[in-house]
Every structure is written in C-alpha cells, then in structure tokens.
Amino acid sequence: MAAIAIIIFVGLFSFGGEAFGWVAYEADVRLALFLTFVLGIICGMRVKS
C-alpha cells in the first residue's frame, strides 16, 4: 500500500499540472501535495507505534 501511495504521489507531483491543468497555482498545489504526503507519513508512524 505504501508503494502505491508513493507512486501516486510522485505521479501527481511530477505530472499533476499537465494532467489536471494546475497551471496558475502549480507551486501551491505542489506544496499542498508535499505537505499532505509528509503529514501522512507522520500519522502513519504514530499509528504504527
């Protein structure tokens, strides 16, 4: 499951602007994707322990 999440994240981070038309706010979208990924990792680690 983690591998699928990483693949989806990398795909959205790299090609999300082209696929969904995130041109005007591309930097904001990338920042939001990065933060949700990092927070997801943190939450997953806290639940695991």
Side-chain angles (χ1 to χ4, degrees), residues 6-44:
I6 291 172
I7 291 170
I8 291 171
F9 170 75
V10 170
L12 282 174
F13 195 78
S14 300
F15 306 109
E18 297 169 7
F20 297 108
W22 298 330
V23 179
Y25 302 105
E26 188 171 345
D28 294 337
V29 171
R30 286 190 176 189
L31 178 62
L33 284 171
F34 179 73
L35 287 176
T36 54
F37 185 73
V38 169
L39 292 175
I41 290 173
I42 292 170
C43 290

